[in-house]
Amino acid sequence: RLRALNRLQVILQHLKMSKQTDSTTEVLLEKKGGAGIITLNRPKALNALNLSMIQQIYPQIKTWEQDPETFLIIIKGTGGKAFCAGGDIRAITEAGKVGDKLTQDFFIGEYRLNNAIGTCKKPYVALIDGITMGGGVGVSVHGHFRVATEKTVFAMPETAIGLFPDVGGGYFLPRLSGKIGYYLALTGCRLKGRDVLKVGIATHFVESEKLPALEKDLIALKSPSKEKIADLLNSYHMKCTIDQEKAFVLDEHMEKINSLFSANSMEEIVKKLKQDGSPFAMKQLETINKMSPTSLKLTLRQLREGASMSLQEVLRMEYRLSQACMKGHDFYEGVRAVLIDKDQSPKWKPAALEEVSDEFVDNCFKPLGKDDLKL
């Protein structure tokens, strides 16, 4: 009987292990040399983050942070197309429709992870090769080093789906030079390759095919300090000549961006764009007119307030906003129009900026008492 019991335990243990590897294959967590390596491994979903991935990465970062044998943390994505295209929006939408608490758990988990990265004592290197949007920005931009390549595509496209540029967007976007963060947040403008470095999202630029060699060299560093890691990244960065001569894509528009997007209200930004009348301004107006009016108002205020807040205060504020969006109309409608039916014609409610009252916006920012995000 004992042997049968033992055999049963072995089988159960094996099943438990295989179940673990099934869920853990979405994210690989391994230690190589002095480096902890996080590999986002959902290539078919463009490495979008789901709750189980977040729940595996967070404790691992905390463990590595305390481990005297871990000197740096590297995060990357598989599949060659994306670093991480965002959060698992579909799952959140389904949950929200049936009142499942994933709509809270996901954002709590994600923002705690963003904070863990932002406060990490070990050097954190994100290899943002390919599409890096939304949640993918959240697991990279708050770390010490972000290495872009010619394949990097950066965007915070949330206003198009009735959300707002979260994951700490209220912290890093208003801190970019001039009003470019406001422009990126409201229009969802995409930046590619070297432009991601020029705007201040990436810290280094390296050829995509050189990343495996860079990773190897990072792993081989003996008890590296932040300075040693920076030196290594700089040496790769200096050798990369791709698009070196190319001017920043928004260079010629920076003056306009800084003046047009410095207005205090969305209505005023729209008015300024109309008055300007240039092809650039008209194009931005057309883009903004497609976005959720509610999202635009929440986003502008989020960035204006976030400009003088700590990352922790911003994440707390963004959690409040996330829960307001989960209770609203536009997020579900935006996801339907952009990701599910793909008809690209969302019916926003309210449909015009003028109809989104200050009182409504104020309410979205109100503390949630015992339900506020705890970091």
Side-chain angles (χ1 to χ4, degrees), residues 314-334:
V314 165
L315 291 167
R316 243 174 248 122
M317 162 178 76
E318 291 180 355
Y319 181 69
R320 292 165 187 167
L321 295 179
S322 76
Q323 297 311 294
C325 290
M326 293 303 106
K327 291 186 182 80
H329 164 273
D330 281 6
F331 170 65
Y332 302 97
E333 175 57 14

Side-chain angles (χ1 to χ4, degrees), residues 26 42 47-55 57-58 84-93 95-96 100-114 133-136 138-139 158 161 163 166-167 315 318-319 322-323 326 331 373:
E26 297 180 326
R42 289 181 77 205
N47 300 324
L49 292 173
N50 59 29
L51 186 57
S52 103
M53 292 162 80
I54 289 166
Q55 287 171 339
I57 298 168
Y58 177 83
C84 169
D88 200 341
I89 293 293
R90 275 176 188 239
I92 299 165
T93 312
D100 183 272
K101 83 188 216 333
L102 180 70
T103 53
Q104 294 154 348
D105 295 346
F106 182 85
F107 292 102
I108 291 171
E110 186 176 31
Y111 298 174
R112 278 186 182 156
L113 175 57
N114 301 149
M133 296 184 184
V139 292
E158 288 80 4
I161 56 161
L163 212 53
D166 64 336
V167 298
L315 291 167
E318 291 180 355
Y319 181 69
S322 76
Q323 297 311 294
M326 293 303 106
F331 170 65
L373 177 66

Side-chain angles (χ1 to χ4, degrees), residues 212-312:
L214 170 61
E215 191 185 323
K216 232 172 164 167
D217 285 349
L218 282 167
I219 292 165
L221 285 172
K222 291 282 170 266
S223 59
S225 58
K226 211 180 277 184
E227 289 67 39
K228 274 192 199 165
I229 292 166
D231 288 345
L232 178 62
L233 292 171
N234 289 339
S235 73
Y236 269 82
H237 174 81
M238 298 310 284
K239 285 186 203 129
C240 182
T241 54
I242 296 178
D243 295 338
Q244 222 170 9
E245 305 307 312
K246 239 170 143 186
F248 177 43
V249 67
L250 295 170
D251 248 354
E252 53 178 316
H253 306 301
M254 273 320 294
E255 219 172 297
K256 277 199 194 306
I257 287 172
N258 290 339
S259 78
L260 297 169
F261 287 85
S262 64
N264 297 333
S265 70
M266 270 319 299
E267 288 89 342
E268 212 180 315
I269 289 176
V270 166
K271 196 170 133 199
K272 280 181 143 188
L273 289 167
K274 283 179 179 160
Q275 281 170 345
D276 182 280
S278 65
F280 175 76
M282 290 296 100
K283 202 174 153 207
Q284 306 323 310
L285 188 61
E286 196 188 331
T287 301
I288 281 172
N289 282 334
K290 290 181 185 148
M291 304 305 187
S292 153
T294 303
S295 290
L296 290 168
K297 286 209 167 173
L298 293 181
T299 299
L300 183 59
R301 175 150 162 199
Q302 170 206 1
L303 266 59
R304 287 173 59 98
E305 297 207 357
S308 58
M309 285 178 168
S310 67
L311 176 60
Q312 289 70 37

Side-chain angles (χ1 to χ4, degrees), residues 3 7 17 32 37 43 46 51 60 69 81-82 96 119 161 165 205 209 228 234 263 269 283 287 290 304 346 370:
R3 273 174 68 187
R7 200 160 60 234
M17 286 298 292
K32 286 187 185 169
I37 298 173
L46 300 177
L51 186 57
Q60 188 61 75
E69 298 300 303
K81 274 181 82 171
T119 56
I161 56 161
F205 185 80
E209 60 178 38
K228 274 192 199 165
N234 289 339
I269 289 176
K283 202 174 153 207
T287 301
K290 290 181 185 148
R304 287 173 59 98
K370 65 172 181 14

Side-chain angles (χ1 to χ4, degrees), residues 323-375:
Q323 297 311 294
C325 290
M326 293 303 106
K327 291 186 182 80
H329 164 273
D330 281 6
F331 170 65
Y332 302 97
E333 175 57 14
V335 171
R336 180 205 65 73
V338 175
L339 298 175
I340 297 170
D341 299 342
K342 299 189 175 161
D343 58 29
Q344 310 302 332
S345 55
K347 307 278 176 283
W348 305 123
K349 282 183 196 164
L353 285 169
E354 292 70 31
E355 295 165 27
V356 184
S357 72
D358 292 346
E359 187 187 2
F360 173 82
V361 174
D362 287 343
N363 275 331
C364 296
F365 283 83
K366 279 203 175 118
L368 301 172
K370 65 172 181 14
D371 293 331
D372 256 330
L373 177 66
K374 291 160 197 70
L375 292 168

